[in-house]
Amino acid sequence: DIVMTQSPLSLPVTPGEPASISCRSSQSLLYSDGHHYLDWYLQKPGQSPQLLIYLASDRASGVPDRFSGSGSGTDFTLTISRVEAEDVGVYYCMQALQAPRTFGQGTKVEIK
Amino acid sequence: EVQLVESGGGLVQPGGSLRLSCVASGFTFSNHWMQWVRQAPGKGLVWVSRVSSDGGNTKYADAVKGRFTISRDNAKNTLYLQMNSLRAEDTAVYYCARIGIVAGISAAGGPFDYWGQGTLVTVSS
């Protein structure tokens, strides 16, 4: 199974400031079709997870453009350009390259 | 509006069985692969199982293989998870999730673009 490792696991943020989360996979997530099969999800307190980013850098419908994804191979980053109070919650990366799909441990983002 | 509504959770004794259901609406259910993901109390997300759009292709996490069965009824727009021989470690909120269709990639490789609200399964004596 592909192991996903996120850092940091806890991220205190200041509204208006940028924030970034790192995700590393135990093997390359690049498929022969040229896509990197890496998704990002946010689980807000008391809610179900919601899709933010897919294929490493494609923003899901309705997701604010302050969220962006980047990276290649085994190293990926989720960046929030200017954090807002509503962005608090736990962020997960997940590899979609092969079954079983595997998630990172989660990064808890909270306001300082 | 896409909706996924799970039901069937509850308290069950170790060794018991439960069947979870996920009723889909707002989209053409038969076009999408579907998944079950679970989350133990205070823990992270863990993939459980997936089924192809026609029900003919299934996969399971090693932790549930041989005990859980995923299925679907496209005529009823419903996804199921039959859980047998339940253990304490199966205690979790179970979410159904839709795999989104993305142009240019396989049907199995899309993101989980919609999730249900979850149903809690508690395995305890």
PDB file of all heavy atoms in Angstrom, chain A residues 66-105:
ATOM      1  N   ARG A  66      -8.271  30.942  -3.310  1.00  0.00           N
ATOM      2  CA  ARG A  66      -7.155  31.071  -2.376  1.00  0.00           C
ATOM      3  C   ARG A  66      -6.522  29.707  -2.077  1.00  0.00           C
ATOM      4  O   ARG A  66      -5.437  29.637  -1.511  1.00  0.00           O
ATOM      5  CB  ARG A  66      -7.593  31.741  -1.073  1.00  0.00           C
ATOM      6  CG  ARG A  66      -8.626  30.987  -0.258  1.00  0.00           C
ATOM      7  CD  ARG A  66      -8.964  31.759   1.030  1.00  0.00           C
ATOM      8  NE  ARG A  66      -9.936  31.058   1.860  1.00  0.00           N
ATOM      9  CZ  ARG A  66     -11.242  31.167   1.690  1.00  0.00           C
ATOM     10  NH1 ARG A  66     -11.719  31.948   0.719  1.00  0.00           N
ATOM     11  NH2 ARG A  66     -12.082  30.514   2.485  1.00  0.00           N
ATOM     12  N   PHE A  67      -7.218  28.635  -2.444  1.00  0.00           N
ATOM     13  CA  PHE A  67      -6.681  27.284  -2.289  1.00  0.00           C
ATOM     14  C   PHE A  67      -5.981  26.866  -3.587  1.00  0.00           C
ATOM     15  O   PHE A  67      -6.550  26.978  -4.672  1.00  0.00           O
ATOM     16  CB  PHE A  67      -7.788  26.274  -1.977  1.00  0.00           C
ATOM     17  CG  PHE A  67      -8.403  26.423  -0.618  1.00  0.00           C
ATOM     18  CD1 PHE A  67      -9.551  27.185  -0.440  1.00  0.00           C
ATOM     19  CD2 PHE A  67      -7.835  25.801   0.488  1.00  0.00           C
ATOM     20  CE1 PHE A  67     -10.125  27.322   0.818  1.00  0.00           C
ATOM     21  CE2 PHE A  67      -8.404  25.929   1.741  1.00  0.00           C
ATOM     22  CZ  PHE A  67      -9.541  26.699   1.913  1.00  0.00           C
ATOM     23  N   SER A  68      -4.772  26.354  -3.458  1.00  0.00           N
ATOM     24  CA  SER A  68      -4.072  25.845  -4.629  1.00  0.00           C
ATOM     25  C   SER A  68      -3.248  24.626  -4.248  1.00  0.00           C
ATOM     26  O   SER A  68      -2.792  24.500  -3.105  1.00  0.00           O
ATOM     27  CB  SER A  68      -3.180  26.922  -5.247  1.00  0.00           C
ATOM     28  OG  SER A  68      -2.159  27.303  -4.342  1.00  0.00           O
ATOM     29  N   GLY A  69      -3.072  23.743  -5.226  1.00  0.00           N
ATOM     30  CA  GLY A  69      -2.271  22.548  -5.014  1.00  0.00           C
ATOM     31  C   GLY A  69      -1.113  22.514  -6.000  1.00  0.00           C
ATOM     32  O   GLY A  69      -1.238  22.965  -7.139  1.00  0.00           O
ATOM     33  N   SER A  70      -0.001  21.978  -5.546  1.00  0.00           N
ATOM     34  CA  SER A  70       1.184  21.879  -6.408  1.00  0.00           C
ATOM     35  C   SER A  70       1.978  20.641  -6.039  1.00  0.00           C
ATOM     36  O   SER A  70       1.681  19.967  -5.042  1.00  0.00           O
ATOM     37  CB  SER A  70       2.047  23.138  -6.262  1.00  0.00           C
ATOM     38  OG  SER A  70       2.520  23.253  -4.925  1.00  0.00           O
ATOM     39  N   GLY A  71       2.990  20.366  -6.833  1.00  0.00           N
ATOM     40  CA  GLY A  71       3.868  19.252  -6.543  1.00  0.00           C
ATOM     41  C   GLY A  71       3.906  18.230  -7.655  1.00  0.00           C
ATOM     42  O   GLY A  71       3.145  18.298  -8.621  1.00  0.00           O
ATOM     43  N   SER A  72       4.801  17.275  -7.500  1.00  0.00           N
ATOM     44  CA  SER A  72       4.959  16.219  -8.490  1.00  0.00           C
ATOM     45  C   SER A  72       5.690  15.044  -7.867  1.00  0.00           C
ATOM     46  O   SER A  72       6.320  15.193  -6.800  1.00  0.00           O
ATOM     47  CB  SER A  72       5.721  16.725  -9.709  1.00  0.00           C
ATOM     48  OG  SER A  72       7.032  17.124  -9.339  1.00  0.00           O
ATOM     49  N   GLY A  73       5.612  13.901  -8.553  1.00  0.00           N
ATOM     50  CA  GLY A  73       6.312  12.716  -8.055  1.00  0.00           C
ATOM     51  C   GLY A  73       5.772  12.242  -6.725  1.00  0.00           C
ATOM     52  O   GLY A  73       4.671  11.664  -6.665  1.00  0.00           O
ATOM     53  N   THR A  74       6.525  12.520  -5.668  1.00  0.00           N
ATOM     54  CA  THR A  74       6.133  12.075  -4.326  1.00  0.00           C
ATOM     55  C   THR A  74       5.907  13.226  -3.353  1.00  0.00           C
ATOM     56  O   THR A  74       5.563  12.972  -2.190  1.00  0.00           O
ATOM     57  CB  THR A  74       7.212  11.152  -3.721  1.00  0.00           C
ATOM     58  OG1 THR A  74       8.443  11.895  -3.611  1.00  0.00           O
ATOM     59  CG2 THR A  74       7.445   9.914  -4.590  1.00  0.00           C
ATOM     60  N   ASP A  75       6.101  14.460  -3.784  1.00  0.00           N
ATOM     61  CA  ASP A  75       6.011  15.610  -2.886  1.00  0.00           C
ATOM     62  C   ASP A  75       4.981  16.618  -3.367  1.00  0.00           C
ATOM     63  O   ASP A  75       5.100  17.137  -4.488  1.00  0.00           O
ATOM     64  CB  ASP A  75       7.378  16.288  -2.747  1.00  0.00           C
ATOM     65  CG  ASP A  75       8.353  15.435  -1.972  1.00  0.00           C
ATOM     66  OD1 ASP A  75       8.099  15.197  -0.774  1.00  0.00           O
ATOM     67  OD2 ASP A  75       9.352  14.991  -2.573  1.00  0.00           O
ATOM     68  N   PHE A  76       4.016  16.904  -2.488  1.00  0.00           N
ATOM     69  CA  PHE A  76       2.905  17.766  -2.862  1.00  0.00           C
ATOM     70  C   PHE A  76       2.641  18.788  -1.754  1.00  0.00           C
ATOM     71  O   PHE A  76       2.956  18.550  -0.580  1.00  0.00           O
ATOM     72  CB  PHE A  76       1.653  16.925  -3.124  1.00  0.00           C
ATOM     73  CG  PHE A  76       1.858  15.918  -4.214  1.00  0.00           C
ATOM     74  CD1 PHE A  76       2.341  14.653  -3.922  1.00  0.00           C
ATOM     75  CD2 PHE A  76       1.617  16.252  -5.539  1.00  0.00           C
ATOM     76  CE1 PHE A  76       2.571  13.725  -4.928  1.00  0.00           C
ATOM     77  CE2 PHE A  76       1.837  15.324  -6.559  1.00  0.00           C
ATOM     78  CZ  PHE A  76       2.319  14.069  -6.252  1.00  0.00           C
ATOM     79  N   THR A  77       2.027  19.906  -2.159  1.00  0.00           N
ATOM     80  CA  THR A  77       1.752  20.974  -1.207  1.00  0.00           C
ATOM     81  C   THR A  77       0.375  21.563  -1.464  1.00  0.00           C
ATOM     82  O   THR A  77      -0.003  21.790  -2.619  1.00  0.00           O
ATOM     83  CB  THR A  77       2.800  22.101  -1.325  1.00  0.00           C
ATOM     84  OG1 THR A  77       4.097  21.569  -1.093  1.00  0.00           O
ATOM     85  CG2 THR A  77       2.519  23.212  -0.309  1.00  0.00           C
ATOM     86  N   LEU A  78      -0.353  21.789  -0.373  1.00  0.00           N
ATOM     87  CA  LEU A  78      -1.595  22.558  -0.429  1.00  0.00           C
ATOM     88  C   LEU A  78      -1.283  23.927   0.161  1.00  0.00           C
ATOM     89  O   LEU A  78      -0.739  24.018   1.265  1.00  0.00           O
ATOM     90  CB  LEU A  78      -2.697  21.887   0.373  1.00  0.00           C
ATOM     91  CG  LEU A  78      -4.016  22.667   0.464  1.00  0.00           C
ATOM     92  CD1 LEU A  78      -4.737  22.652  -0.882  1.00  0.00           C
ATOM     93  CD2 LEU A  78      -4.914  22.094   1.548  1.00  0.00           C
ATOM     94  N   THR A  79      -1.628  24.965  -0.576  1.00  0.00           N
ATOM     95  CA  THR A  79      -1.363  26.325  -0.114  1.00  0.00           C
ATOM     96  C   THR A  79      -2.666  27.105  -0.025  1.00  0.00           C
ATOM     97  O   THR A  79      -3.505  27.038  -0.924  1.00  0.00           O
ATOM     98  CB  THR A  79      -0.395  27.048  -1.061  1.00  0.00           C
ATOM     99  OG1 THR A  79       0.834  26.325  -1.123  1.00  0.00           O
ATOM    100  CG2 THR A  79      -0.126  28.463  -0.577  1.00  0.00           C
ATOM    101  N   ILE A  80      -2.820  27.812   1.093  1.00  0.00           N
ATOM    102  CA  ILE A  80      -3.916  28.761   1.253  1.00  0.00           C
ATOM    103  C   ILE A  80      -3.266  30.141   1.214  1.00  0.00           C
ATOM    104  O   ILE A  80      -2.432  30.471   2.066  1.00  0.00           O
ATOM    105  CB  ILE A  80      -4.667  28.565   2.579  1.00  0.00           C
ATOM    106  CG1 ILE A  80      -5.053  27.094   2.772  1.00  0.00           C
ATOM    107  CG2 ILE A  80      -5.915  29.443   2.608  1.00  0.00           C
ATOM    108  CD1 ILE A  80      -5.653  26.788   4.140  1.00  0.00           C
ATOM    109  N   SER A  81      -3.628  30.944   0.220  1.00  0.00           N
ATOM    110  CA  SER A  81      -2.905  32.219   0.020  1.00  0.00           C
ATOM    111  C   SER A  81      -3.169  33.206   1.155  1.00  0.00           C
ATOM    112  O   SER A  81      -2.273  33.916   1.591  1.00  0.00           O
ATOM    113  CB  SER A  81      -3.284  32.827  -1.320  1.00  0.00           C
ATOM    114  OG  SER A  81      -4.680  33.048  -1.386  1.00  0.00           O
ATOM    115  N   ARG A  82      -4.416  33.266   1.606  1.00  0.00           N
ATOM    116  CA  ARG A  82      -4.785  34.149   2.730  1.00  0.00           C
ATOM    117  C   ARG A  82      -5.853  33.410   3.532  1.00  0.00           C
ATOM    118  O   ARG A  82      -6.989  33.273   3.095  1.00  0.00           O
ATOM    119  CB  ARG A  82      -5.341  35.488   2.219  1.00  0.00           C
ATOM    120  CG  ARG A  82      -4.347  36.358   1.476  1.00  0.00           C
ATOM    121  CD  ARG A  82      -5.045  37.593   0.874  1.00  0.00           C
ATOM    122  NE  ARG A  82      -6.165  37.214   0.040  1.00  0.00           N
ATOM    123  CZ  ARG A  82      -6.047  36.806  -1.219  1.00  0.00           C
ATOM    124  NH1 ARG A  82      -4.855  36.710  -1.765  1.00  0.00           N
ATOM    125  NH2 ARG A  82      -7.124  36.485  -1.925  1.00  0.00           N
ATOM    126  N   VAL A  83      -5.458  32.940   4.687  1.00  0.00           N
ATOM    127  CA  VAL A  83      -6.357  32.116   5.504  1.00  0.00           C
ATOM    128  C   VAL A  83      -7.549  32.936   6.000  1.00  0.00           C
ATOM    129  O   VAL A  83      -7.395  34.095   6.422  1.00  0.00           O
ATOM    130  CB  VAL A  83      -5.601  31.514   6.698  1.00  0.00           C
ATOM    131  CG1 VAL A  83      -6.569  30.802   7.643  1.00  0.00           C
ATOM    132  CG2 VAL A  83      -4.529  30.546   6.214  1.00  0.00           C
ATOM    133  N   GLU A  84      -8.714  32.319   5.944  1.00  0.00           N
ATOM    134  CA  GLU A  84      -9.918  32.926   6.525  1.00  0.00           C
ATOM    135  C   GLU A  84     -10.388  32.040   7.686  1.00  0.00           C
ATOM    136  O   GLU A  84     -10.041  30.857   7.761  1.00  0.00           O
ATOM    137  CB  GLU A  84     -11.008  33.060   5.465  1.00  0.00           C
ATOM    138  CG  GLU A  84     -10.627  33.995   4.339  1.00  0.00           C
ATOM    139  CD  GLU A  84     -11.798  34.319   3.418  1.00  0.00           C
ATOM    140  OE1 GLU A  84     -12.929  33.883   3.702  1.00  0.00           O
ATOM    141  OE2 GLU A  84     -11.565  35.030   2.413  1.00  0.00           O
ATOM    142  N   ALA A  85     -11.179  32.611   8.551  1.00  0.00           N
ATOM    143  CA  ALA A  85     -11.645  31.884   9.739  1.00  0.00           C
ATOM    144  C   ALA A  85     -12.394  30.606   9.372  1.00  0.00           C
ATOM    145  O   ALA A  85     -12.330  29.597  10.083  1.00  0.00           O
ATOM    146  CB  ALA A  85     -12.528  32.796  10.586  1.00  0.00           C
ATOM    147  N   GLU A  86     -13.077  30.606   8.240  1.00  0.00           N
ATOM    148  CA  GLU A  86     -13.866  29.441   7.823  1.00  0.00           C
ATOM    149  C   GLU A  86     -13.007  28.292   7.306  1.00  0.00           C
ATOM    150  O   GLU A  86     -13.519  27.221   6.987  1.00  0.00           O
ATOM    151  CB  GLU A  86     -14.848  29.836   6.726  1.00  0.00           C
ATOM    152  CG  GLU A  86     -14.193  30.272   5.431  1.00  0.00           C
ATOM    153  CD  GLU A  86     -15.214  30.718   4.390  1.00  0.00           C
ATOM    154  OE1 GLU A  86     -16.297  31.172   4.781  1.00  0.00           O
ATOM    155  OE2 GLU A  86     -14.910  30.586   3.191  1.00  0.00           O
ATOM    156  N   ASP A  87     -11.702  28.494   7.217  1.00  0.00           N
ATOM    157  CA  ASP A  87     -10.811  27.456   6.699  1.00  0.00           C
ATOM    158  C   ASP A  87     -10.341  26.481   7.787  1.00  0.00           C
ATOM    159  O   ASP A  87      -9.591  25.553   7.493  1.00  0.00           O
ATOM    160  CB  ASP A  87      -9.582  28.084   6.026  1.00  0.00           C
ATOM    161  CG  ASP A  87      -9.946  28.973   4.850  1.00  0.00           C
ATOM    162  OD1 ASP A  87     -11.031  28.758   4.256  1.00  0.00           O
ATOM    163  OD2 ASP A  87      -9.156  29.882   4.515  1.00  0.00           O
ATOM    164  N   VAL A  88     -10.776  26.689   9.020  1.00  0.00           N
ATOM    165  CA  VAL A  88     -10.346  25.791  10.088  1.00  0.00           C
ATOM    166  C   VAL A  88     -10.938  24.401   9.900  1.00  0.00           C
ATOM    167  O   VAL A  88     -12.039  24.245   9.368  1.00  0.00           O
ATOM    168  CB  VAL A  88     -10.731  26.328  11.482  1.00  0.00           C
ATOM    169  CG1 VAL A  88     -10.051  27.653  11.734  1.00  0.00           C
ATOM    170  CG2 VAL A  88     -12.227  26.450  11.646  1.00  0.00           C
ATOM    171  N   GLY A  89     -10.166  23.410  10.328  1.00  0.00           N
ATOM    172  CA  GLY A  89     -10.595  22.032  10.196  1.00  0.00           C
ATOM    173  C   GLY A  89      -9.385  21.144   9.989  1.00  0.00           C
ATOM    174  O   GLY A  89      -8.243  21.565  10.188  1.00  0.00           O
ATOM    175  N   VAL A  90      -9.642  19.904   9.567  1.00  0.00           N
ATOM    176  CA  VAL A  90      -8.563  18.954   9.319  1.00  0.00           C
ATOM    177  C   VAL A  90      -8.443  18.718   7.818  1.00  0.00           C
ATOM    178  O   VAL A  90      -9.430  18.399   7.150  1.00  0.00           O
ATOM    179  CB  VAL A  90      -8.800  17.620  10.057  1.00  0.00           C
ATOM    180  CG1 VAL A  90      -7.640  16.665   9.805  1.00  0.00           C
ATOM    181  CG2 VAL A  90      -8.976  17.866  11.555  1.00  0.00           C
ATOM    182  N   TYR A  91      -7.236  18.896   7.314  1.00  0.00           N
ATOM    183  CA  TYR A  91      -6.946  18.714   5.898  1.00  0.00           C
ATOM    184  C   TYR A  91      -6.271  17.360   5.689  1.00  0.00           C
ATOM    185  O   TYR A  91      -5.337  17.011   6.402  1.00  0.00           O
ATOM    186  CB  TYR A  91      -6.022  19.823   5.404  1.00  0.00           C
ATOM    187  CG  TYR A  91      -6.689  21.176   5.350  1.00  0.00           C
ATOM    188  CD1 TYR A  91      -6.930  21.910   6.503  1.00  0.00           C
ATOM    189  CD2 TYR A  91      -7.104  21.720   4.132  1.00  0.00           C
ATOM    190  CE1 TYR A  91      -7.555  23.139   6.465  1.00  0.00           C
ATOM    191  CE2 TYR A  91      -7.731  22.952   4.072  1.00  0.00           C
ATOM    192  CZ  TYR A  91      -7.954  23.655   5.242  1.00  0.00           C
ATOM    193  OH  TYR A  91      -8.584  24.874   5.189  1.00  0.00           O
ATOM    194  N   TYR A  92      -6.761  16.626   4.694  1.00  0.00           N
ATOM    195  CA  TYR A  92      -6.210  15.317   4.357  1.00  0.00           C
ATOM    196  C   TYR A  92      -5.755  15.287   2.904  1.00  0.00           C
ATOM    197  O   TYR A  92      -6.482  15.760   2.021  1.00  0.00           O
ATOM    198  CB  TYR A  92      -7.259  14.222   4.524  1.00  0.00           C
ATOM    199  CG  TYR A  92      -7.752  13.992   5.926  1.00  0.00           C
ATOM    200  CD1 TYR A  92      -8.886  14.653   6.405  1.00  0.00           C
ATOM    201  CD2 TYR A  92      -7.109  13.089   6.779  1.00  0.00           C
ATOM    202  CE1 TYR A  92      -9.365  14.415   7.689  1.00  0.00           C
ATOM    203  CE2 TYR A  92      -7.577  12.865   8.065  1.00  0.00           C
ATOM    204  CZ  TYR A  92      -8.701  13.530   8.512  1.00  0.00           C
ATOM    205  OH  TYR A  92      -9.170  13.302   9.783  1.00  0.00           O
ATOM    206  N   CYS A  93      -4.597  14.703   2.663  1.00  0.00           N
ATOM    207  CA  CYS A  93      -4.251  14.345   1.296  1.00  0.00           C
ATOM    208  C   CYS A  93      -4.609  12.872   1.108  1.00  0.00           C
ATOM    209  O   CYS A  93      -4.673  12.111   2.090  1.00  0.00           O
ATOM    210  CB  CYS A  93      -2.773  14.594   0.990  1.00  0.00           C
ATOM    211  SG  CYS A  93      -1.578  13.656   1.977  1.00  0.00           S
ATOM    212  N   MET A  94      -4.860  12.481  -0.119  1.00  0.00           N
ATOM    213  CA  MET A  94      -5.205  11.091  -0.427  1.00  0.00           C
ATOM    214  C   MET A  94      -4.673  10.732  -1.800  1.00  0.00           C
ATOM    215  O   MET A  94      -4.804  11.515  -2.745  1.00  0.00           O
ATOM    216  CB  MET A  94      -6.720  10.899  -0.431  1.00  0.00           C
ATOM    217  CG  MET A  94      -7.142   9.445  -0.644  1.00  0.00           C
ATOM    218  SD  MET A  94      -8.879   9.269  -1.120  1.00  0.00           S
ATOM    219  CE  MET A  94      -8.786   9.769  -2.856  1.00  0.00           C
ATOM    220  N   GLN A  95      -4.056   9.567  -1.895  1.00  0.00           N
ATOM    221  CA  GLN A  95      -3.595   9.121  -3.206  1.00  0.00           C
ATOM    222  C   GLN A  95      -4.721   8.361  -3.900  1.00  0.00           C
ATOM    223  O   GLN A  95      -5.401   7.533  -3.287  1.00  0.00           O
ATOM    224  CB  GLN A  95      -2.317   8.278  -3.095  1.00  0.00           C
ATOM    225  CG  GLN A  95      -2.429   6.965  -2.368  1.00  0.00           C
ATOM    226  CD  GLN A  95      -2.980   5.829  -3.227  1.00  0.00           C
ATOM    227  OE1 GLN A  95      -3.026   5.915  -4.454  1.00  0.00           O
ATOM    228  NE2 GLN A  95      -3.402   4.729  -2.570  1.00  0.00           N
ATOM    229  N   ALA A  96      -4.910   8.669  -5.178  1.00  0.00           N
ATOM    230  CA  ALA A  96      -5.963   8.023  -5.971  1.00  0.00           C
ATOM    231  C   ALA A  96      -5.358   7.181  -7.086  1.00  0.00           C
ATOM    232  O   ALA A  96      -6.046   6.809  -8.032  1.00  0.00           O
ATOM    233  CB  ALA A  96      -6.887   9.089  -6.554  1.00  0.00           C
ATOM    234  N   LEU A  97      -4.066   6.856  -6.951  1.00  0.00           N
ATOM    235  CA  LEU A  97      -3.386   6.115  -8.016  1.00  0.00           C
ATOM    236  C   LEU A  97      -3.787   4.646  -8.039  1.00  0.00           C
ATOM    237  O   LEU A  97      -3.952   4.050  -9.099  1.00  0.00           O
ATOM    238  CB  LEU A  97      -1.865   6.227  -7.833  1.00  0.00           C
ATOM    239  CG  LEU A  97      -1.018   5.544  -8.903  1.00  0.00           C
ATOM    240  CD1 LEU A  97      -1.177   6.245 -10.239  1.00  0.00           C
ATOM    241  CD2 LEU A  97       0.445   5.488  -8.484  1.00  0.00           C
ATOM    242  N   GLN A  98      -3.927   4.064  -6.852  1.00  0.00           N
ATOM    243  CA  GLN A  98      -4.212   2.641  -6.798  1.00  0.00           C
ATOM    244  C   GLN A  98      -5.028   2.306  -5.569  1.00  0.00           C
ATOM    245  O   GLN A  98      -5.040   3.038  -4.590  1.00  0.00           O
ATOM    246  CB  GLN A  98      -2.917   1.824  -6.772  1.00  0.00           C
ATOM    247  CG  GLN A  98      -2.036   2.083  -5.591  1.00  0.00           C
ATOM    248  CD  GLN A  98      -0.725   1.322  -5.625  1.00  0.00           C
ATOM    249  OE1 GLN A  98      -0.321   0.679  -4.662  1.00  0.00           O
ATOM    250  NE2 GLN A  98      -0.015   1.395  -6.758  1.00  0.00           N
ATOM    251  N   ALA A  99      -5.726   1.160  -5.633  1.00  0.00           N
ATOM    252  CA  ALA A  99      -6.440   0.653  -4.478  1.00  0.00           C
ATOM    253  C   ALA A  99      -5.477  -0.187  -3.637  1.00  0.00           C
ATOM    254  O   ALA A  99      -4.678  -0.947  -4.198  1.00  0.00           O
ATOM    255  CB  ALA A  99      -7.630  -0.190  -4.905  1.00  0.00           C
ATOM    256  N   PRO A 100      -5.531  -0.087  -2.309  1.00  0.00           N
ATOM    257  CA  PRO A 100      -6.468   0.746  -1.574  1.00  0.00           C
ATOM    258  C   PRO A 100      -6.067   2.215  -1.587  1.00  0.00           C
ATOM    259  O   PRO A 100      -4.882   2.540  -1.491  1.00  0.00           O
ATOM    260  CB  PRO A 100      -6.369   0.201  -0.149  1.00  0.00           C
ATOM    261  CG  PRO A 100      -4.969  -0.287  -0.039  1.00  0.00           C
ATOM    262  CD  PRO A 100      -4.640  -0.843  -1.393  1.00  0.00           C
ATOM    263  N   ARG A 101      -7.048   3.097  -1.737  1.00  0.00           N
ATOM    264  CA  ARG A 101      -6.766   4.510  -1.588  1.00  0.00           C
ATOM    265  C   ARG A 101      -6.317   4.737  -0.148  1.00  0.00           C
ATOM    266  O   ARG A 101      -6.881   4.164   0.782  1.00  0.00           O
ATOM    267  CB  ARG A 101      -8.001   5.326  -1.904  1.00  0.00           C
ATOM    268  CG  ARG A 101      -8.499   5.112  -3.334  1.00  0.00           C
ATOM    269  CD  ARG A 101      -8.815   6.388  -3.997  1.00  0.00           C
ATOM    270  NE  ARG A 101      -9.482   6.207  -5.281  1.00  0.00           N
ATOM    271  CZ  ARG A 101     -10.011   7.179  -5.972  1.00  0.00           C
ATOM    272  NH1 ARG A 101      -9.979   8.412  -5.509  1.00  0.00           N
ATOM    273  NH2 ARG A 101     -10.582   6.933  -7.126  1.00  0.00           N
ATOM    274  N   THR A 102      -5.318   5.576   0.012  1.00  0.00           N
ATOM    275  CA  THR A 102      -4.781   5.828   1.341  1.00  0.00           C
ATOM    276  C   THR A 102      -4.698   7.329   1.605  1.00  0.00           C
ATOM    277  O   THR A 102      -4.381   8.116   0.703  1.00  0.00           O
ATOM    278  CB  THR A 102      -3.406   5.179   1.529  1.00  0.00           C
ATOM    279  OG1 THR A 102      -2.602   5.428   0.366  1.00  0.00           O
ATOM    280  CG2 THR A 102      -3.537   3.669   1.715  1.00  0.00           C
ATOM    281  N   PHE A 103      -4.992   7.682   2.855  1.00  0.00           N
ATOM    282  CA  PHE A 103      -5.014   9.070   3.289  1.00  0.00           C
ATOM    283  C   PHE A 103      -3.797   9.380   4.150  1.00  0.00           C
ATOM    284  O   PHE A 103      -3.246   8.495   4.816  1.00  0.00           O
ATOM    285  CB  PHE A 103      -6.256   9.333   4.147  1.00  0.00           C
ATOM    286  CG  PHE A 103      -7.568   9.257   3.423  1.00  0.00           C
ATOM    287  CD1 PHE A 103      -8.229   8.042   3.308  1.00  0.00           C
ATOM    288  CD2 PHE A 103      -8.156  10.390   2.879  1.00  0.00           C
ATOM    289  CE1 PHE A 103      -9.452   7.949   2.649  1.00  0.00           C
ATOM    290  CE2 PHE A 103      -9.372  10.320   2.226  1.00  0.00           C
ATOM    291  CZ  PHE A 103     -10.024   9.096   2.112  1.00  0.00           C
ATOM    292  N   GLY A 104      -3.423  10.656   4.165  1.00  0.00           N
ATOM    293  CA  GLY A 104      -2.473  11.118   5.160  1.00  0.00           C
ATOM    294  C   GLY A 104      -3.134  11.162   6.529  1.00  0.00           C
ATOM    295  O   GLY A 104      -4.339  10.961   6.651  1.00  0.00           O
ATOM    296  N   GLN A 105      -2.331  11.441   7.555  1.00  0.00           N
ATOM    297  CA  GLN A 105      -2.840  11.419   8.939  1.00  0.00           C
ATOM    298  C   GLN A 105      -3.776  12.582   9.235  1.00  0.00           C
ATOM    299  O   GLN A 105      -4.529  12.553  10.206  1.00  0.00           O
ATOM    300  CB  GLN A 105      -1.685  11.490   9.948  1.00  0.00           C
ATOM    301  CG  GLN A 105      -0.491  10.611   9.632  1.00  0.00           C
ATOM    302  CD  GLN A 105       0.577  11.400   8.911  1.00  0.00           C
ATOM    303  OE1 GLN A 105       0.338  11.946   7.835  1.00  0.00           O
ATOM    304  NE2 GLN A 105       1.767  11.428   9.488  1.00  0.00           N
TER     305      GLN A 105
END
